[in-house]
Amino acid sequence: MKNRIKVIFLSGLLIIATLLIYKPHFTQKIIFLGDSLLIGYKIEKEKSAINLIEMSIPYKTVSRCNIGMTANACKSNINNLINERAIYVIIELGANDFLLGRSATETQKDLDAIIEFCQKRKSNVAIINFVDESMYNFCTTEKQVQLLADYADMYKKISAEKKIKLIDGIWQGKFGNAKYKIDYFHPNESGSKVIADTIIENILTWK
């Protein structure tokens, strides 16, 4: 009888330990809302930032990213994009809005609506600032320089007002180096790894 109780007790401990070890992989997930900076453009899927992130973190990764995705388009389709619960939602949006010449004020309204939707679903939210200091060197007009600065400030403002995590410097200052890009704006395999490494570090230290 004592041996039987001992076996049952040890089996129970083993089950609890197994659940504790594997819980993050099965019950905790991160949803990414983003664009080609994460899913890649003209590179192998396996080398994209989103795939590298998925292989390096102890959470299930759900990609709701699309090439050309804007904050406005995401807001309009948010009910379909966020149709499951997630402990974290990471938003990487705004780059295409900038390229389209949308004001930071209008883009912030869309991002605020997306964040509020996620927070109502009890998700922890982080927002990614796509702006790299070297991007200013690629602006051809003063208007572009000002718009880029407005976007950089916008992300900081959103983080402060919504009390969410800001993931900054995803290019690590390498945007201006052709070695890390496949074209004017998109990262190649090396650039995607730089972006992924920055995001992974932020996820693993997220409290």
Side-chain angles (χ1 to χ4, degrees):
M1 184 66 178
K2 288 183 178 180
N3 287 337
R4 184 180 177 186
I5 292 172
K6 185 177 180 180
V7 169
I8 293 172
F9 177 74
L10 291 175
S11 298
L13 288 178
L14 181 61
I15 291 171
I16 292 171
T18 302
L19 289 173
L20 288 174
I21 292 172
Y22 290 101
K23 182 179 179 181
H25 297 273
F26 294 106
T27 64
Q28 295 188 13
K29 68 180 67 172
I30 298 179
I31 295 177
F32 285 86
L33 299 172
D35 52 39
S36 52
L37 289 180
L38 289 184
I39 59 174
Y41 179 71
K42 294 184 178 180
I43 63 173
E44 295 180 16
K45 181 181 177 181
E46 292 74 19
K47 301 297 180 63
S48 67
I50 195 72
N51 192 65
L52 296 174
I53 293 167
E54 183 175 16
M55 293 189 299
S56 304
I57 60 175
Y59 305 101
K60 179 181 178 182
T61 300
V62 179
S63 174
R64 294 288 185 263
C65 304
N66 288 295
I67 292 175
M69 176 79 84
T70 63
N72 185 256
C74 181
K75 183 196 72 172
S76 300
N77 198 34
I78 192 64
N79 285 292
N80 293 321
L81 293 171
I82 305 289
N83 55 12
E84 55 189 306
R85 291 193 176 279
I87 188 168
Y88 300 121
V89 175
I90 296 181
I91 301 170
E92 180 274 303
L93 292 168
N96 286 307
D97 300 83
F98 164 75
L99 292 173
L100 290 171
R102 294 189 73 218
S103 72
T105 300
E106 289 302 311
T107 299
Q108 181 173 347
K109 291 177 183 177
D110 295 330
L111 291 172
D112 283 346
I114 294 167
I115 293 164
E116 288 164 11
F117 180 90
C118 296
Q119 290 178 328
K120 286 179 181 178
R121 296 175 70 88
K122 308 302 182 184
S123 294
N124 297 295
V125 182
I127 193 161
I128 292 173
N129 176 10
F130 75 88
V131 180
D132 185 83
E133 283 298 317
S134 60
M135 286 182 181
Y136 292 98
N137 298 325
F138 291 82
C139 294
T140 57
T141 66
E142 285 299 318
K143 185 178 179 180
Q144 282 186 330
V145 171
Q146 185 58 58
L147 184 61
L148 190 61
D150 290 344
Y151 269 74
D153 291 340
M154 175 194 73
Y155 290 110
K156 296 174 184 177
K157 184 179 178 183
I158 290 173
S159 174
E161 291 180 353
K162 298 298 181 183
K163 296 181 173 56
I164 64 173
K165 182 177 180 65
L166 175 64
I167 299 178
D168 221 346
I170 59 170
W171 282 93
Q172 297 180 20
K174 295 180 171 64
F175 178 85
N177 190 333
K179 175 184 175 182
Y180 296 93
K181 294 191 297 183
I182 198 166
D183 59 17
Y184 168 76
F185 198 81
H186 296 94
N188 59 15
E189 294 177 358
S190 297
S192 292
K193 187 177 186 307
V194 169
I195 291 172
D197 287 345
T198 306
I199 296 172
I200 289 166
E201 181 180 357
N202 276 270
I203 290 173
L204 296 179
T205 57
W206 196 345
K207 295 181 181 179

